């Protein structure tokens, strides 16, 4: 099953947007790209597009590639499998297994078809990862006018709801030059910004672009980089080239942080900033904090009071907040979602990551997830944070009740069993607990009663804008 980044690579390979590549790279090409910035035959290429697999899969002649929902999307003819530093890779051309599925996929013709549509003159590409507002639209129109270029908008499908971003950019269509082309492109972000920018330029060229609007530092590539021209808001609230508007008649715009603050509060975006149709799509893409989902993850030793606080917080939010609340308590989850897992380090990680996946899905759909596993390892807590923050809010609460107090409570007799060796790999005794140094809130239930501790969590949620003050207060 492919992860999101691998799925993006497969789709772009099938579309012909990764030309000259026909599939995943073998060892010689991957090494050449990493060391020289080109394929083994000398063709420029900025990023090794590889597919890591297990050893058994690497030995197969053909490999069926499936998406995150386990649906087949392509077949890889594994012509040149290779290994490096203990990792195995499949390599070879890919072909689609059937007709494209999904509304966004049907909006995206092949790169060759797009080239036929836009060819015959200069083509100005832009790859937005955010909605286009009046300022950006004015810049695009000015560049298209001065260069006599066709405009090609390749919507970079990023974030948890890429379909909303596509709709927001499509809403800008009437304000782009006539006959502009807009299509979604599943181009995943690369960790290296310079390589990411250069790969974006290659994809734009594959779709027929001759120029690319970019804020990145220009580098030699397949298309000519063009910096967005300076435009300003004049006294009549129109966006015009800066040279046409003297300083006394210029009015301030909105910075990115100011826009986020307006969206977080649910305040309307000004008419001079964007159109009503784009503003509506922007609100769908970034709803107010009070309408987004969030997760509270309690972590701490067994007996620290996590479950008690989680249940009390659930009751408090259920009475006063509009969101549906899902409680993912450690003991209950182990009997259901994580049944069959043991207490090895690997199984502990699986337990927490399964909880994180469910919490992220609850958050994605606007609900509240309250989780209370021990979550002893930093890397697992970080993984949950990343998953959840892609779709909503995340709060990590460390229940820092001392080990001695946890042992004193020990109503299940777990610590006694661990001390006598009858319960191996028990967190805090025979297995490690990595104290979170990045907790949003630290609570010690040996000095705080339940109500005071829960009040502290609610106060933090209010401070960050995720919940409103209760109407009874």
């Amino acid at each position: 099953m492919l992860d999101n980044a691998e799925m993006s690579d497969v789709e772009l390979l099938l579309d012909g947007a990764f030309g000259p590549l026909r599939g995943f790279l073998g060892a010689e090409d991957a090494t050449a790209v990493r060391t020289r910035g080109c394929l083994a035959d000398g063709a420029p290429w900025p990023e090794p597009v590889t597919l890591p697999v297990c050893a058994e899969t690497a030995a197969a002649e053909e490999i069926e590639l499936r998406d995150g929902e386990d649906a087949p999307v392509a077949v890889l003819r594994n012509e040149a499998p290779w290994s490096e530093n203990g990792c195995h890779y499949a390599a070879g051309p890919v072909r689609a297994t059937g007709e494209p599925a999904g509304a966004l996929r049907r909006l995206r013709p092949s790169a060759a078809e797009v080239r036929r549509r836009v060819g015959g003159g200069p083509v100005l590409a832009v790859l937005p990862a955010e909605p286009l507002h009046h300022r950006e639209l004015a810049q695009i129109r000015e560049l298209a006018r001065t260069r006599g270029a066709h405009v090609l908008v390749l919507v970079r499908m990023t974030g948890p709801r890429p379909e909303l971003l596509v709709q927001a950019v499509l809403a800008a269509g009437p304000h782009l030059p006539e006959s502009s082309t807009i299509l979604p492109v599943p181009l995943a972000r690369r960790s290296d910004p310079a390589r990411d920018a250069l790969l974006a330029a290659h994809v734009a060229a594959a779709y027929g672009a001759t120029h690319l609007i970019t804020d990145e530092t220009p580098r030699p590539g397949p298309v000519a980089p063009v910096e967005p021209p300076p435009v300003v808001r004049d006294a009549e609230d129109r966006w015009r080239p800066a040279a046409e508007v003297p300083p006394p008649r210029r009015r301030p715009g909105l910075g990115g942080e100011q826009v986020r603050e307006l969206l977080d509060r649910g305040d309307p975006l000004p008419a001079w900033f964007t159109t009503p149709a784009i503003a509506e799509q922007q609100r769908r893409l970034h709803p107010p904090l009070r309408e987004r989902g969030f997760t509270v993850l309690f972590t701490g030793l067994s007996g620290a009071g996590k479950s008690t606080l989680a249940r009390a917080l659930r009751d408090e939010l259920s009475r006063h907040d509009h969101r549906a609340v899902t409680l993912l308590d450690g003991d209950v989850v182990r009997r259901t979602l994580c049944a069959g897992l043991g207490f090895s380090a690997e199984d502990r990680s699986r337990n927490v990551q399964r909880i994180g996946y469910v919490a992220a899905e609850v958050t994605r759909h606007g609900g509240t997830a309250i989780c209370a596993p021990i979550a002893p390892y930093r890397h697992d807590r970080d993984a949950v944070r990343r998953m959840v923050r892609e779709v909503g809010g995340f709060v990590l609460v460390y229940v820092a009740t001392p080990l001695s107090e946890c042992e004193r409570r020990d109503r299940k007799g777990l610590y006694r069993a661990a001390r006598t060796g009858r319960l191996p790999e028990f967190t805090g005794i025979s297995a490690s607990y990595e104290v979170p140094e990045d907790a949003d809130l630290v609570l010690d239930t040996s000095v705080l009663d339940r109500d005071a501790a829960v009040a502290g969590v609610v106060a933090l949620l209010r401070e960050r804008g995720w919940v409103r003050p209760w109407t009874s207060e």
Side-chain angles (χ1 to χ4, degrees):
M1 190 179 298
L2 303 170
D3 64 24
N4 290 338
E6 293 163 349
M7 186 64 200
S8 295
D9 289 345
V10 168
E11 290 199 48
L12 291 170
L13 286 167
L14 294 176
D15 288 347
F18 268 174
L21 275 58
R22 296 186 304 118
F24 287 98
L25 298 183
E28 187 178 5
D29 280 324
T31 300
V33 170
R34 284 197 298 265
T35 57
R36 307 197 308 271
C38 64
L39 300 172
D41 63 6
W45 190 256
E47 179 74 9
V49 179
T50 58
L51 183 64
V53 295
C54 67
E56 181 181 358
T57 301
E61 294 183 1
E62 284 197 338
I63 302 169
E64 185 178 64
L65 305 178
R66 293 175 170 265
D67 64 16
E69 297 178 347
D70 205 31
V73 293
V75 171
L76 183 151
R77 191 166 73 248
N78 195 19
E79 296 177 343
W82 55 289
S83 300
E84 183 179 74
N85 298 326
C87 297
H88 302 277
Y89 299 87
V94 297
R95 69 175 190 277
T97 55
E99 290 298 316
L104 291 182
R105 183 64 184 82
R106 288 192 291 269
L107 284 174
R108 191 175 70 250
S110 70
E113 184 178 341
V114 175
R115 287 197 302 272
R116 287 193 294 271
R117 292 183 190 177
V118 304
V123 177
L124 181 67
V126 57
L127 276 79
E130 292 287 340
L132 299 172
H133 299 294
H134 282 316
R135 178 176 175 270
E136 295 82 15
L137 293 167
Q139 291 174 323
I140 293 170
R141 290 194 300 267
E142 178 64 11
L143 279 175
R145 182 187 67 79
T146 57
R147 295 174 180 272
H150 180 93
V151 172
L152 175 62
V153 182
L154 304 174
V155 187
R156 191 159 190 171
M157 296 165 58
T158 59
R161 300 289 301 278
E163 70 280 2
L164 294 183
L165 175 60
V166 172
Q167 291 171 20
V169 176
L170 287 172
H175 306 275
L176 289 167
E178 189 175 354
S179 75
S180 296
T181 300
I182 304 175
L183 64 147
V185 175
L187 181 56
R189 290 282 184 190
R190 260 54 185 187
S191 57
D192 183 324
R195 284 189 172 186
D196 183 77
L198 195 52
L199 183 62
H202 277 268
V203 170
Y207 282 104
T210 57
H211 298 76
L212 176 64
I213 303 176
T214 177
D215 291 316
E216 300 289 338
T217 303
R219 294 181 59 187
V223 295
V226 180
E227 290 188 27
V231 295
V232 295
R233 176 188 170 213
D234 68 14
E236 286 76 40
D237 286 340
R238 297 172 300 175
W239 289 90
R240 297 165 56 191
E244 299 178 5
V245 185
R249 293 186 58 79
R250 297 180 182 178
R251 304 181 71 177
L254 285 177
E257 186 62 34
Q258 292 172 299
V259 173
R260 282 189 291 274
E261 289 176 358
L262 289 173
L263 293 169
D264 286 349
R265 292 196 304 265
D267 294 343
L269 297 176
W272 57 261
F273 177 77
T274 195
T275 71
I278 299 172
E280 176 59 29
Q281 296 298 334
Q282 176 84 77
R283 281 191 293 271
R284 294 182 64 206
L285 188 61
H286 299 286
L289 289 180
R290 62 181 180 269
E291 296 179 9
R292 298 181 210 168
F294 65 87
T295 289
V296 178
L297 176 66
F298 290 96
T299 177
L301 297 174
S302 177
K306 301 182 303 298
S307 296
T308 298
L309 296 183
R311 289 193 294 269
L313 179 62
R314 175 199 59 191
D315 295 342
E316 184 75 358
L317 293 176
S318 296
R319 283 196 299 268
H320 299 289
D321 191 62
H322 69 281
R323 300 173 180 88
V325 182
T326 299
L327 178 61
L328 299 168
D329 181 57
D331 292 339
V332 175
V333 166
R334 274 201 170 271
R335 292 197 300 270
T336 54
L337 178 67
C338 298
L341 293 181
F343 291 90
S344 66
E346 294 77 10
D347 279 357
R348 291 174 192 271
S349 290
R350 292 190 187 98
N351 177 63
V352 174
Q353 291 182 18
R354 288 183 190 180
I355 290 172
Y357 173 80
V358 175
E361 288 303 299
V362 170
T363 300
R364 181 193 306 275
H365 296 288
T368 296
I370 302 174
C371 313
I374 292 175
Y377 304 129
R378 185 175 299 108
H379 64 86
D380 294 324
R381 298 190 297 260
D382 289 345
V384 175
R385 178 187 286 108
R386 286 192 298 271
M387 281 190 286
V388 173
R389 280 190 172 169
E390 285 185 355
V391 294
F394 179 83
V395 171
L396 178 65
V397 180
Y398 171 36
V399 186
T401 307
L403 174 61
S404 58
E405 175 63 17
C406 294
E407 285 200 74
R408 187 190 68 78
R409 295 173 181 177
D410 200 20
R411 61 184 179 83
K412 300 178 185 177
L414 299 177
Y415 283 98
R416 289 193 299 276
R419 290 291 187 189
T420 59
R422 291 183 290 112
L423 188 60
E425 297 188 281
F426 187 76
T427 302
I429 304 299
S430 51
S432 64
Y433 178 83
E434 297 174 0
V435 173
E437 299 174 354
D438 55 353
D440 299 286
L441 187 64
V442 178
L443 303 172
D444 180 350
T445 62
S446 68
V447 296
L448 282 174
D449 65 25
R450 182 195 62 188
D451 292 344
V454 169
V457 179
V458 172
L460 179 61
L461 293 171
R462 288 175 178 168
E463 176 187 326
R464 297 193 174 180
W466 294 103
V467 299
R468 293 172 167 172
W470 310 149
T471 55
S472 59
E473 296 179 1

